[in-house]
């Protein structure tokens, strides 16, 4: 007896549904905290509210690129040993990179808007901004490389190498404000350094980072499953093509026989 | 552009981008799932949801 299932179960599980609902609820609270509860800055005024989007976005982007690099390394190390060629790691690398690119794009957009208010210009070719846009473009290139037609394992290896090369730029972006004289301010929060902000602004920033992490994790899990579905679809299409070619063969020989 | 307008545009754009991307991911999963028979009528031998990997 055929069994009908719910469409919403395609890429979701109870865990991801809980994560999704938590992400939505946390985002609403984040908006209230960031837009209404947290006070305006003495110097920057209301514009400081961009902090709660801009900073967590780049943190999640960094985290996603770290995940991409670790997965790429594991894929390269295990692709010859594992039964499924380690494609699990390749999928994880691809999904994390895509989410990382989305959040890097958001970092650039929010940064440009914030810059217009505080610096008087949307864009300046200083070290932080230039290296960030380079990061965005290199990971876009990585995603483009993943779409090139090739054997999945070969393509996965090429993408993994590209991911590891692209990752070199992540610490350069982060430390660019310390290494070079830039228009961009130094990190608001940094390990081993006293925070530049305190009180409600500090806690709102931490809360925003947590919220964006939940949303990012939800996106990576779902994107991972969609990549798996794409692979199943491609495998099914390939099987159908091969079977249709097998069915064509007798017809060809029959036709040839009729001619002779 | 005033500070308040900048903040409103920044927050608005961010939420639009994240919601659009999330909807795209979910709808792509559903579209491909339907094509390969997940979420529709399951016959024996067809792909089931359990064929998909669980949590990463």
């Amino acid at each position: 007896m055929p069994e009908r299932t719910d469409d919403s179960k395609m890429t979701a599980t109870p865990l991801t549904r809980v994560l999704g609902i938590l992400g939505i609820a946390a985002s609403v609270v984040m908006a209230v905290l960031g837009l209404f509860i947290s006070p305006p800055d003495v110097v920057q005024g209301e514009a400081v509210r961009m902090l709660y989007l801009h900073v967590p976005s780049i943190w999640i982007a960094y985290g996603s690129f770290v995940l991409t690099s670790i997965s790429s390394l594991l894929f390269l190390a295990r692709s010859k040993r594992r039964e499924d060629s380690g494609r699990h790691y390749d999928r994880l690398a691809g999904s994390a990179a895509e989410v990382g690119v989305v959040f890097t794009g958001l970092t650039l957009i929010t940064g440009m808007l914030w810059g217009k208010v505080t610096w008087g210009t949307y864009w300046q070719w200083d070290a932080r901004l230039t290296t960030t846009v380079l990061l965005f473009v290199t990971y876009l290139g990585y995603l483009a490389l993943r779409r090139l037609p090739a054997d999945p394992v070969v393509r996965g290896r090429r993408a993994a190498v590209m991911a590891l090369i692209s990752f070199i730029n992540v610490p350069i972006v982060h430390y660019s404000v310390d290494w070079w004289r830039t228009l961009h301010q130094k990190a608001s929060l940094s390990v081993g350094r006293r925070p530049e902000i305190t009180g409600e602004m500090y806690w709102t920033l931490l809360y925003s980072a947590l919220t964006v992490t939940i949303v990012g994790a939800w996106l990576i899990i779902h994107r991972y499953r969609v990549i798996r579905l794409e692979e199943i679809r491609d495998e099914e299409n390939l099987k159908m093509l091969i079977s249709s070619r097998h069915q064509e063969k007798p017809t060809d020989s029959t036709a040839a026989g009729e001619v002779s | 552009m005033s500070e308040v307008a900048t903040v409103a545009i920044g927050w608005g754009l961010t939420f639009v981008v994240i919601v659009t991307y999330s909807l795209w991911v979910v709808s792509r999963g559903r579209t491909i799932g339907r094509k390969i028979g997940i979420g529709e009528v399951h016959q024996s031998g067809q792909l089931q949801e359990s064929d998909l990997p669980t949590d990463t």
Side-chain angles (χ1 to χ4, degrees):
Chain A
M1 186 72 182
E3 181 193 345
R4 189 167 287 278
T5 59
D6 182 7
D7 272 4
S8 64
K9 288 181 179 173
M10 282 166 189
T11 57
T13 61
L15 177 74
T16 55
R17 267 185 224 116
V18 168
L19 204 61
I21 292 164
L22 199 64
I24 292 168
S27 298
V28 172
V29 175
M30 175 184 153
V32 172
L33 282 174
L35 292 172
F36 305 107
I37 307 284
S38 131
D41 186 58
V42 177
V43 179
Q44 295 193 23
E46 297 293 338
V48 78
R49 301 187 192 285
M50 297 300 283
L51 174 83
Y52 310 123
L53 296 175
H54 182 72
V55 174
S57 293
I58 196 64
W59 285 351
I60 298 312
Y62 287 162
S64 301
F65 296 145
V66 167
L67 188 57
T68 300
S69 303
I70 292 169
S71 304
S72 298
L73 263 178
L74 289 169
F75 176 75
L76 285 174
R78 300 188 185 184
S79 61
K80 285 182 181 172
R81 279 186 286 160
R82 283 172 64 103
E83 216 173 72
D84 66 347
S85 313
R87 284 172 72 182
H88 161 74
Y89 296 112
D90 181 48
R91 275 176 231 133
L92 191 55
S95 52
E98 194 174 283
V99 172
V101 165
V102 169
F103 280 102
T104 308
L106 285 173
T107 305
L108 288 168
I109 292 169
T110 52
M112 284 165 72
L113 288 166
W114 199 4
K116 179 64 181 167
V117 179
T118 53
W119 305 333
T121 177
Y122 286 110
W123 191 260
Q124 188 79 32
W125 289 102
D126 86 337
R128 172 55 76 86
L129 277 68
T130 307
T131 51
T132 308
V133 83
L134 192 66
L135 185 77
F136 182 68
V137 172
T138 47
Y139 275 97
L140 269 183
Y142 166 82
L143 293 177
L145 183 65
R146 292 184 61 85
R147 288 180 175 269
L148 290 179
D151 175 75
V153 177
V154 173
R155 185 177 54 207
R157 283 199 195 117
R158 287 174 187 162
V161 171
M162 169 105 187
L164 293 174
I165 293 169
S166 303
F167 187 74
I168 295 169
N169 196 18
V170 171
I172 296 174
V173 172
H174 186 70
Y175 290 108
S176 59
V177 287
D178 297 323
W179 293 345
W180 294 288
R181 185 192 298 246
T182 68
L183 195 59
H184 196 285
Q185 68 185 61
K186 293 200 185 299
S188 305
L189 295 180
S190 195
V191 178
R193 195 191 288 171
R194 215 178 145 177
E196 298 282 325
I197 56 170
T198 51
E200 283 164 336
M201 289 167 77
Y202 175 79
W203 290 110
T204 305
L205 179 60
L206 286 189
Y207 178 81
S208 302
L210 179 70
T211 301
V212 178
T213 305
I214 293 168
V215 173
W218 183 88
L219 284 168
I220 290 172
I221 293 169
H222 273 264
R223 192 65 186 100
Y224 174 96
R225 290 180 179 158
V226 172
I227 292 175
R228 179 72 190 109
L229 284 172
E230 286 168 346
E231 286 175 1
I232 294 170
R233 181 199 58 190
D234 292 345
E235 284 159 14
E236 291 287 306
N237 285 348
L238 187 65
K239 275 181 201 167
M240 278 170 61
L241 270 174
I242 291 169
S243 102
S244 68
R245 286 299 295 271
H246 280 304
Q247 283 170 355
E248 279 173 16
K249 274 186 182 171
T251 318
D252 289 347
S253 60
T254 313
E258 280 172 7
V259 171
S260 63
Chain B
M1 195 160 45
S2 73
E3 287 174 6
V4 175
T6 304
V7 170
I9 292 170
W11 278 73
L13 269 176
T14 301
F15 277 92
V16 166
V17 168
I18 291 175
V19 168
T20 307
Y21 179 63
S22 306
L23 289 176
W24 177 78
V25 170
V26 171
S27 69
R28 188 165 171 77
R30 287 186 181 187
T31 307
I32 298 171
R34 274 193 210 104
K35 273 185 189 166
I36 59 177
I38 300 172
E40 288 185 339
V41 179
H42 287 171
Q43 302 281 3
S44 59
Q46 275 195 305
L47 286 164
Q48 306 281 324
E49 191 209 354
S50 55
D51 294 331
L52 287 174
T54 50
D55 299 321
T56 55

